[in-house]
């Protein structure tokens, strides 16, 4: 069975989408219209009860969570060299960075900005939640900026962390941040956008950077 990646354009599903393009994998891409609530329909919820994209289905079943899906891609197409192999420390560094993006930058910070209703039912509190998210974003991007080596990929060699960081950089621009405040992150995004796999995924999803 050909793997299917359920995605919505420009979401965190873009990161595994880029990984699939990097691997040259044959994949069926299934566009989910989140605006119309397709991810909350019973057929989708049967596959992912969390009602979120990305969702991967293979002959083995469903796999959720962007970072797990990217890990699977990296190990299934080792020639794409999307993850270090055989070095537990290097593997843990990738897992650490990707977990930070998932749990802190995405689920905490960007969710505060995009979805303040997840943090409080009181609409009067939403502007303060968003403002806190925007402040936290600056702090977290400063931490990422500090750990990036100029001109290098996140972990030196290219890995799943690079498409994932690009998604966060794109969102940062979309919420009004100017990446020039973080020159290494800005340069990282520029180099990412030159990669054929990134261009292919952006074109397929019909999105631009920013
Ligand atoms: N922890 C999940 C989060 C997935 C997630 O929040 N996906 C968003 C798009 S970036 C989504 O499906 N949003 C639809 C909604 O929240 O209704 C992951 O890392 O894959």
């Amino acid at each position: 069975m050909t793997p299917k990646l359920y995605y919505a354009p420009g979401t965190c599903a873009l990161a595994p989408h880029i990984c699939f393009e990097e691997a040259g994998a044959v994949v069926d891409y299934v566009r989910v219209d989140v605006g119309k609530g397709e991810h909350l329909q019973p057929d989708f919820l049967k596959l992912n009860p969390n009602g979120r994209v990305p969702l991967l289905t293979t002959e083995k079943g469903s796999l959720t969570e962007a970072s797990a899906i990217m890990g699977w891609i990296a190990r299934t197409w080792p020639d794409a060299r999307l993850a270090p192999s055989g070095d537990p420390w290097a593997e843990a560094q990738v897992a650490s960075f990707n977990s930070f993006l998932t749990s802190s930058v995405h689920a905490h910070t960007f969710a505060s900005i995009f979805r303040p209703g997840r943090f409080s039912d009181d609409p009067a509190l939403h502007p303060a939640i968003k403002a806190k998210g925007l402040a936290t974003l600056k702090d977290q991007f400063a931490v990422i900026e500090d750990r990036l080596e100029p001109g290098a990929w996140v972990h030196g060699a290219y890995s799943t962390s690079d498409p994932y960081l690009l998604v966060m950089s794109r969102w940062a621009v979309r919420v009004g941040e100017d990446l020039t405040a973080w020159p290494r992150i800005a340069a990282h995004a520029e180099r990412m956008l030159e990669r054929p796999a990134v261009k292919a995924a952006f074109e397929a999803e019909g999105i631009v950077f920013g």
Side-chain angles (χ1 to χ4, degrees), residues 11-13 34 39-40 51-54 64-67 102 106 115 118 164 171:
T11 63
C12 56
V34 168
H39 60 309
L40 303 175
R52 301 281 175 92
V53 290
T64 65
E65 302 301 316
S67 91
T102 301
H106 180 182
R115 306 272 193 157
R118 290 217 173 117
Y164 208 4
W171 290 354

Side-chain angles (χ1 to χ4, degrees), residues 88-133:
W89 186 254
E91 287 172 3
Q93 292 295 331
V94 174
S96 166
F97 188 83
N98 289 355
S99 296
F100 171 65
L101 294 189
T102 301
S103 59
S104 297
V105 183
H106 180 182
H108 174 254
T109 303
F110 278 113
S112 307
I113 301 166
F114 290 137
R115 306 272 193 157
R118 290 217 173 117
F119 297 87
S120 169
D121 291 329
D122 180 354
L125 296 178
H126 293 178
I129 293 168
K130 280 188 190 182
K132 185 68 181 168

Side-chain angles (χ1 to χ4, degrees), residues 72-191:
W72 180 82
I73 297 168
R75 277 157 194 80
T76 306
W77 285 270
D79 290 350
R81 303 171 71 89
L82 291 167
S85 82
D87 176 351
W89 186 254
E91 287 172 3
Q93 292 295 331
V94 174
S96 166
F97 188 83
N98 289 355
S99 296
F100 171 65
L101 294 189
T102 301
S103 59
S104 297
V105 183
H106 180 182
H108 174 254
T109 303
F110 278 113
S112 307
I113 301 166
F114 290 137
R115 306 272 193 157
R118 290 217 173 117
F119 297 87
S120 169
D121 291 329
D122 180 354
L125 296 178
H126 293 178
I129 293 168
K130 280 188 190 182
K132 185 68 181 168
L134 285 165
T136 307
L137 180 60
K138 289 185 203 301
D139 293 343
Q140 291 171 335
F141 266 49
V143 168
I144 296 170
E145 175 76 6
D146 249 16
R147 84 181 296 296
L148 278 183
E149 294 292 336
W153 300 117
V154 173
H155 303 289
Y158 189 77
S159 72
T160 56
S161 296
D162 294 295
Y164 208 4
L165 176 57
L166 180 70
V167 172
M168 301 297 140
S169 299
R170 181 174 174 274
W171 290 354
V173 173
R174 288 179 73 78
V175 300
E177 293 300 334
D178 182 352
L179 285 191
T180 55
W182 306 286
R184 294 175 189 179
I185 297 177
H188 175 270
E190 268 173 36
R191 287 197 304 135

Side-chain angles (χ1 to χ4, degrees), residues 35-78:
K36 286 189 181 152
E38 285 177 1
H39 60 309
L40 303 175
Q41 296 305 310
D43 281 355
F44 188 87
L45 291 175
K46 256 187 242 157
L47 298 169
N48 180 7
N50 296 324
R52 301 281 175 92
V53 290
L55 161 69
L56 179 75
T57 58
T58 75
E59 73 280 351
K60 289 180 189 283
S62 288
L63 183 65
T64 65
E65 302 301 316
S67 91
I69 295 170
M70 290 192 287
W72 180 82
I73 297 168
R75 277 157 194 80
T76 306
W77 285 270

